[in-house]
Amino acid sequence: MTTTTASTCCYCGVGCGVLIEHDDEHIIGVKGDPAHPANYGRLCSKGATLHLTGDLTARALYPELRLGKGLARSHTDWDTAMGHAAQVFGQTIAEHGPDSVAFYISGQLLTEDYYAFNKLARALVATNNIDSNSRLCMSSAVVGYKRSLGADAPPCSYEDIEQSDCLLIVGSNMAYAHPVLFRRLEQAKADKPDMRIIVVDPRRTDTCDIADMHLAVQPGTDVALFHGILHILMWEGWLDRRFIDEHTGGFDELKTLVRDYTPEMVSGICGIRQDDLQSVARMIGTAPSFLSLWCMGLNQSSAGSAKNSALINLHLATGQIGKPGSGPFSLTGQPNAMGGRETGSLSNLLPGHRETANAAHRDEVAEYWGVDSLPGNVGLSAVELFEGVRQGKIKALWIACTNPAQSMPDQTLIHEALAACPFVVVQEAFATTETCHYADLLLPAASWGEKAGSVTNSERRISRVRSAVAAPGEARPDWAIVCDLATRLEAQLRPGQPSLFDFDSPQALFDEYRGLTAGRDLDYSSLSYALIDELGPQQWPFDASKQKGTARLYADNRFPTDDGRARFIAESYLPHKEQRDARFPLTLNTGRLRDQWHGMSRTGTAAQLFGHVEQAQISLHPDDLRSRHLVDGQLVQVKSRRGELILPVLADEQIRPGQAYIPMHWGNRFLKGLGVNVLTQPLFDPLSKQPELKQAGINVKPVVFPWELFVLVEGDVQQRFTALREHCEELAFASFSLAGRDRPALLIRAAHRNAPDADWLAKLDSLLDLHSGPVLIYDDPRRAIGKRVRIEQGRITAIRLTGETAARDWLRQVWQSGETNAELRRWFLAPISTPPGGQSGAVNRTLCNCMNVSQSRIQAGIERGLDLNGLKSELGCGTECGSCVPEIKGLLSRAKVAV
Ligand SMILES: Nc1nc2c(c(=O)[nH]1)N[C@H]1C(S)=C(S)[C@@H](COP(=O)(O)OP(=O)(O)OC[C@H]3O[C@@H](n4cnc5c(=O)[nH]c(N)nc54)[C@H](O)[C@@H]3O)O[C@H]1N2
Ligand SMILES: Nc1nc2c(c(=O)[nH]1)N[C@H]1C(S)=C(S)[C@@H](COP(=O)(O)OP(=O)(O)OC[C@H]3O[C@@H](n4cnc5c(=O)[nH]c(N)nc54)[C@H](O)[C@@H]3O)O[C@H]1N2
Ligand code: SF4
Ligand SMILES: [Mo]
């Protein structure tokens, strides 16, 4: 019987409500929840394909334990696994003190999971060595809000985005990263064409499609830009003097600083036209309401805190906060990055928006928990924490719901640290991640659709997460794993005392936790699961007497600081640290793709999510290709001061000369090497400790590998992937991806200096099932060229080309067509491998994932004179989730320019 369960999407911080369609065992489909106030029924390409992800063969299903370094892990039962974990943690704490262990957790945990982890670390273990991947994500915004406004609270609602007259989208590619919110903005702009939208991003992203003005600033120059805008606002008198006088402090100091940021100087630093700067300042200064949206382009910087506060300065100077359509609105990345901040899941925070460094806060929480005291020393933040592991100070490390061996900067150090750590526990839903490789104990976690609790989205709205089906294998929900560890540790650390972890459900955790928000800025102490079920998702603070959430903060112009005034922060612009030089003449920028999520443990199991961008690549401006004598698609070696990577290069007009872009998604599983973060810097912002993931100095050089490999194989994709990835480790370059929709296939592109030996090839063929059966074979050992194609029931099911791969795209098209022909057989017998009709072009991208419409069909439609509506009605593209619409509009406008 099919049932529907309402829950929340597990990807981005928009926090869309989903309706999960399922039977007793399986999730069958996903729809947007029309009743959810974040999305009103919409979903993006990732949310709409949730049911296609989560291949069981990629999941962690049983606890696995390694009994000594160098040995393989073997299956064990939960009791043995947890007994062992508690014994090692207990012993390490007893021998080396509480700060010899650490917890590294995630913005994708639920509030209840977070709370259990925090209580475990602070109250039981007595360490502040608990940090989360939000350190790589939102910690600069936390500092910005706290020091400028007094509390870590995004003051706006999604409705403010729709109501605003002027929006500044800065360092955010919301068309890809917060798509449903972008759909809402597109609709608002269509309804209200006078709305002004400014996008500030070094790249011309799809988000720019909606912009009246795109400022392609030089990387890292945002502080100068904001000061430059303020300079003009001051000069023109576009300030709210009364607001400044009555509700803020520190303006005089800022005024003195900003005097130097003349339009001339700022346009030079930012690499933008003075006219454009003037128009942007005019749009902001004269708008009835002004709202800013930002994300990683500001936060992930050694000046992340300065960027956040300099932006908030603009709102304070114009009084554009606390009113409809106004305010500084940071977009949170992960589905529960907010919940992490609320429950105190950064080393320097405590539950209820409290501070580790504040003795009164520590006492309040200790009293609530019924323990004598909480540790007052400073805990380690993410980068410092892994450095502590590398230096041997941390001897037991617990990692949950994050993949640091892919996502942390300077991967060489991270891999060294994980390899050296005496005991690494990884609590994971998918066994395929780079970090799982280092787990001495792998604990299978229940994941989306299988676990229950709550999350808070970017607009402070708390939604329920509900389970639809049972977790596979022996996987358990995160909160239960934590409480199991805690009760076992209590037997060692607090023998004979009543348990602090007497929780039998996520609800029990939520009910204890919410009490810690009482009297704090985020107060939702009276909001129960039952109330959320009754009233729908609610925004904090939640007013108990009115039974109502709060849509907008600071409407009374009072701020949660000592004197009730907001603070201007006067900090100079400091250039990002790895400026271009002769050795590293390009600045590497990194970020998201539309259809992939981080390390791809989940999205990387759905073949159709590879249709938009198929494989790892580095994008450069065409001029930078030309000057290096590079051609599109060629392999290059990319080097930074820390490491190197080999991948294909792509000519991309969206990138400015002197810059480069690599999506953040590909780690060691999908690409030979340590992934993009082998290149990035561990340097961090002095206050937020958030690393500078968006800027690194690199150089790019051609590499030529005479021997090439191309593989396409259907069936058992995940198992084959793991085995083949290992087999390809000895090659210089190897890139993996998936293709197809109904019949998913694994794709491999690889290259090497010379042909591998016959044994290697034989093993390859056996992993591909190409060693026997209905296989066409052509070998020219003299030239090290080999071709294998398996044909079953009249269609190709596997391809392997070695030596030279010119026919790969053509063969792939034959595979996709599901038919074979005489041409294929003729080509097979020919000594040359060039496909019939010569070299075929690049692979045709799928722009519209929902309706499976390729770029070439859209292009052909445009050539026939179709406009957006024509394309929609004839081809169906862009009619479902709408994620592809900005790109289609881009093609349309380029076609117009070409005419
Ligand atoms: N599809 C998809 N969506 C996601 C995620 C995902 O993995 N995939 N992850 C989620 C998470 S956790 C997060 S944090 C968000 C991130 O969401 P975003 O921050 O919007 O995404 P990014 O692509 O990381 O970076 C945004 C933009 O910052 C620009 N940028 C780089 N340097 C600078 C600079 O110095 N100044 C300015 N102004 N801009 C700069 C980049 O060119 C990029 O276009 O996305 C969330 N949504
Ligand atoms: N170069 C570069 N690096 C970056 C960034 C960038 O822009 N550029 N962005 C940074 C940012 S903003 C972020 S947020 C990080 C993200 O980096 P990570 O946190 O490493 O990203 P994910 O791949 O989402 O990792 C989450 C893991 O949790 C697992 N998982 C899923 N559901 C569950 C569950 O319910 N329980 C448990 N226990 N596990 C589960 C998933 O399989 C996945 O492996 O990357 C950062 N790294
Ligand atoms: S915008 Fe997309 S990824 Fe983000 S919550 Fe909504 S459906 Fe999920
Ligand atoms: Mo993030």
Side-chain angles (χ1 to χ4, degrees):
M1 199 189 72
T2 310
T3 333
T4 300
T5 300
S7 187
T8 310
C9 175
C10 63
Y11 293 123
C12 84
V14 176
C16 297
V18 293
L19 297 176
I20 308 176
E21 295 163 352
H22 58 99
D23 59 22
D24 290 344
E25 273 173 58
H26 300 110
I27 292 174
I28 299 158
V30 178
K31 286 207 175 80
D33 182 352
H36 198 288
N39 56 319
Y40 298 108
R42 294 180 186 88
L43 289 180
C44 76
S45 50
K46 292 182 301 299
T49 49
L50 265 168
H51 60 294
L52 304 176
T53 60
D55 192 327
L56 279 188
T57 55
R59 291 291 300 270
L61 298 174
Y62 310 96
E64 290 177 23
L65 181 61
R66 191 197 318 276
L67 282 168
K69 293 280 176 198
L71 302 176
R73 280 194 308 255
S74 49
H75 285 181
T76 186
D77 59 84
W78 272 104
D79 192 46
T80 311
M82 296 310 291
H84 184 77
Q87 189 262 326
V88 177
F89 266 70
Q91 194 178 344
T92 308
I93 295 162
E95 281 175 20
H96 305 282
D99 289 338
S100 64
V101 305
F103 300 87
Y104 184 58
I105 59 176
S106 165
Q108 293 165 66
L109 287 170
L110 309 182
T111 295
E112 296 73 7
D113 305 328
Y114 270 133
Y115 180 66
F117 263 119
N118 262 294
K119 195 173 179 186
L120 165 72
R122 325 257 187 189
L124 181 59
V125 176
T127 184
N128 287 319
N129 288 343
I130 172 165
D131 212 51
S132 98
N133 62 359
S134 290
R135 187 67 70 181
L136 316 179
C137 185
M138 297 315 300
S139 61
S140 296
V142 175
V143 171
Y145 280 131
K146 275 172 48 169
R147 64 178 183 165
S148 296
L149 304 179
D152 175 23
C156 313
S157 284
Y158 294 161
E159 268 142 41
D160 288 315
I161 298 174
E162 294 161 332
Q163 289 166 5
S164 186
D165 297 293
C166 177
L167 275 112
L168 177 67
I169 304 175
V170 46
S172 148
N173 182 12
M174 64 188 293
Y176 280 14
H178 298 89
V180 164
L181 216 44
F182 193 67
R183 297 285 91 74
R184 287 180 66 165
L185 177 58
E186 282 172 334
Q187 187 60 51
K189 168 109 178 164
D191 296 344
K192 205 169 73 168
D194 285 346
M195 181 188 250
R196 287 289 156 258
I197 300 179
I198 306 147
V199 174
V200 180
D201 195 305
R203 298 186 302 145
R204 199 188 66 225
T205 61
D206 274 12
T207 302
C208 298
D209 168 60
I210 205 178
D212 297 287
M213 171 75 78
H214 169 214
L215 295 181
V217 292
Q218 285 301 320
T221 60
D222 305 87
V223 171
L225 175 73
F226 300 146
H227 288 349
I229 293 171
L230 187 57
H231 178 104
I232 300 171
L233 297 179
M234 275 163 39
W235 185 261
E236 299 287 345
W238 289 324
L239 300 177
D240 187 337
R241 290 276 170 203
R242 201 160 144 202
F243 184 90
I244 295 171
D245 291 344
E246 289 176 10
H247 306 297
T248 69
F251 190 58
D252 289 342
E253 200 188 325
L254 180 62
K255 222 162 71 182
T256 314
L257 176 79
V258 157
R259 225 168 259 142
D260 296 339
Y261 288 78
T262 59
E264 194 185 358
M265 168 177 148
V266 169
S267 76
I269 293 174
C270 298
I272 54 174
R273 289 161 22 126
Q274 279 193 47
D275 283 357
D276 290 347
L277 179 64
Q278 293 281 358
S279 337
V280 164
R282 173 178 294 276
M283 286 186 217
I284 292 174
T286 59
S289 60
F290 160 55
L291 184 128
S292 55
L293 293 166
W294 73 96
C295 205
M296 292 308 113
L298 294 197
N299 294 351
Q300 286 173 341
S301 158
S302 55
S305 303
K307 287 184 179 189
N308 270 268
S309 285
L311 175 57
I312 298 176
N313 285 341
L314 297 181
H315 288 274
L316 298 178
T318 52
Q320 294 283 14
I321 185 168
K323 305 186 302 185
S326 313
F329 197 177
S330 66
L331 295 172
T332 50
Q334 297 176 92
N336 200 26
M338 289 288 287
R341 290 141 77 172
E342 294 154 23
T343 54
S345 300
L346 289 170
S347 58
N348 54 311
L349 303 180
L350 287 175
H353 281 177
R354 290 177 176 88
E355 302 266 349
T356 317
N358 182 321
H361 286 176
R362 289 201 303 276
D363 289 346
E364 284 164 19
V365 179
E367 195 190 333
Y368 190 83
W369 283 342
V371 296
D372 293 340
S373 63
L374 297 184
N377 59 343
V378 187
L380 298 175
S381 69
V383 173
E384 301 167 307
L385 191 153
F386 280 91
E387 188 51 32
V389 174
R390 202 170 71 93
Q391 291 173 5
K393 291 181 191 152
I394 307 286
K395 298 173 199 310
L397 175 62
W398 196 288
I399 298 168
C401 200
T402 175
N403 182 17
Q406 194 274 332
S407 55
M408 287 283 293
D410 203 355
Q411 279 297 317
T412 309
L413 297 188
I414 302 298
H415 283 251
E416 262 177 53
L418 288 167
C421 186
F423 190 55
V424 179
V425 182
V426 179
Q427 186 174 320
E428 242 297 340
F430 290 81
T432 46
T433 75
E434 287 79 1
T435 307
C436 288
H437 175 75
Y438 292 98
D440 298 302
L441 179 61
L442 176 63
L443 300 174
S447 183
W448 176 85
E450 304 151 5
K451 57 188 285 198
S454 61
V455 290
T456 310
N457 72 5
S458 294
E459 58 165 358
R460 294 173 278 107
R461 191 181 294 280
I462 302 170
S463 295
R464 290 287 308 278
V465 170
R466 296 186 182 83
S467 75
V469 294
E474 295 178 10
R476 286 187 183 175
D478 291 286
W479 70 267
I481 301 175
V482 186
C483 291
D484 187 342
L485 172 70
T487 40
R488 288 170 196 260
L489 275 179
E490 280 183 316
Q492 299 172 50
L493 300 172
R494 295 165 44 96
Q497 294 184 56
S499 176
L500 302 171
F501 292 87
D502 192 11
F503 302 109
D504 57 1
S505 65
Q507 180 162 2
L509 281 152
F510 187 82
D511 284 342
E512 178 177 300
Y513 156 64
R514 64 189 163 95
L516 275 167
T517 67
R520 307 286 307 163
D521 70 290
L522 75 169
D523 196 334
Y524 52 92
S525 51
S526 61
L527 184 66
S528 60
Y529 278 11
L531 267 178
I532 302 176
D533 292 346
E534 185 191 325
L535 305 172
Q538 294 297 310
Q539 289 175 283
W540 59 250
F542 183 78
D543 189 322
S545 57
K546 296 195 200 123
Q547 297 266 296
K548 217 169 153 325
T550 312
R552 192 173 303 112
L553 304 178
Y554 315 135
D556 58 357
N557 295 332
R558 280 199 61 78
F559 295 89
T561 53
D562 293 343
D563 56 6
R565 286 166 174 263
R567 294 268 174 282
F568 284 103
I569 304 288
E571 279 169 348
S572 302
Y573 156 70
L574 295 173
H576 76 80
K577 293 302 182 296
E578 288 195 352
Q579 293 291 319
R580 296 157 53 190
D581 60 22
R583 275 179 67 217
F584 298 100
L586 295 163
T587 300
L588 174 70
N589 177 2
T590 64
R592 270 95 192 141
L593 290 174
R594 195 189 78 187
D595 293 350
Q596 295 294 353
W597 179 262
H598 300 162
M600 303 160 78
S601 59
R602 180 180 280 282
T603 49
T605 62
Q608 84 177 58
L609 292 177
F610 289 81
H612 188 236
V613 174
E614 183 171 285
Q615 63 162 354
Q617 60 208 7
I618 178 168
S619 308
L620 295 181
H621 188 272
D623 290 351
D624 280 322
L625 260 73
R626 234 168 277 137
S627 65
R628 288 170 177 74
H629 308 289
L630 296 170
V631 293
D632 210 30
Q634 170 176 359
L635 289 181
V636 292
Q637 180 192 51
V638 184
K639 255 192 185 168
S640 79
R641 288 172 177 80
R642 290 153 294 278
E644 60 182 79
L645 201 60
I646 291 170
L647 71 180
V649 67
L650 177 82
D652 187 346
E653 299 267 1
Q654 300 189 330
I655 314 279
R656 283 181 87 169
Q659 299 178 23
Y661 185 76
I662 307 181
M664 64 162 295
H665 306 289
W666 289 280
N668 178 265
R669 181 164 163 89
F670 284 90
L671 180 68
K672 162 89 199 281
L674 298 185
V676 62
N677 280 319
V678 79
L679 305 167
T680 52
Q681 354 175 22
L683 178 87
F684 51 72
D685 178 276
L687 297 174
S688 71
K689 308 211 170 159
Q690 179 157 357
E692 186 142 270
L693 286 161
K694 288 278 184 269
Q695 283 99 35
I698 56 160
N699 63 47
V700 171
K701 296 204 171 86
V703 273
V704 178
F705 296 115
W707 185 87
E708 290 180 13
L709 167 74
F710 173 72
V711 165
L712 180 154
V713 59
E714 280 183 16
D716 296 334
V717 165
Q718 292 300 323
Q719 289 103 320
R720 281 221 167 92
F721 190 165
T722 303
L724 286 160
R725 174 65 190 83
E726 213 180 302
H727 191 57
C728 289
E729 185 56 25
E730 69 178 64
L731 304 179
F733 164 75
S735 164
F736 289 71
S737 65
L738 271 51
R741 286 171 83 90
D742 308 331
R743 295 177 278 119
L746 179 71
L747 287 184
I748 309 175
R749 283 185 192 168
H752 202 53
R753 288 168 210 96
N754 50 286
D757 60 27
D759 286 353
W760 192 92
L761 282 176
K763 170 97 190 283
L764 176 72
D765 285 346
S766 92
L767 290 171
L768 296 170
D769 264 340
L770 282 170
H771 53 310
S772 61
V775 179
L776 297 176
I777 298 177
Y778 176 92
D779 279 320
D780 179 352
R782 207 172 33 86
R783 295 189 300 143
I785 285 179
K787 314 178 197 174
R788 299 275 184 289
V789 173
R790 188 173 65 217
I791 298 178
E792 290 171 294
Q793 282 151 4
R795 56 177 201 83
I796 296 178
T797 55
I799 305 166
R800 177 278 258 180
L801 302 178
T802 39
E804 196 254 336
T805 62
R808 68 177 186 218
D809 294 339
W810 169 71
L811 275 175
R812 200 179 144 176
Q813 279 159 24
V814 181
W815 164 74
Q816 209 145 5
S817 73
E819 291 160 13
T820 52
N821 50 32
E823 259 185 351
L824 179 70
R825 285 173 197 275
R826 265 202 301 278
W827 167 81
F828 222 94
L829 296 171
I832 46 157
S833 71
T834 313
Q839 217 88 1
S840 58
V843 174
N844 199 359
R845 299 167 64 220
T846 312
L847 288 200
C848 176
N849 229 327
C850 305
M851 306 303 283
N852 194 15
V853 187
S854 66
Q855 178 159 353
S856 66
R857 281 178 66 202
I858 294 170
Q859 203 79 54
I862 294 173
E863 277 157 29
R864 277 189 289 123
L866 295 180
D867 63 1
L868 183 62
N869 285 332
L871 291 166
K872 280 183 174 176
S873 62
E874 240 183 70
L875 305 176
C877 54
T879 52
E880 280 287 319
C881 81
S883 290
C884 60
V885 170
E887 209 166 337
I888 298 176
K889 283 194 191 159
L891 291 177
L892 279 163
S893 66
R894 254 163 276 153
K896 238 184 237 151
V897 172
V899 170

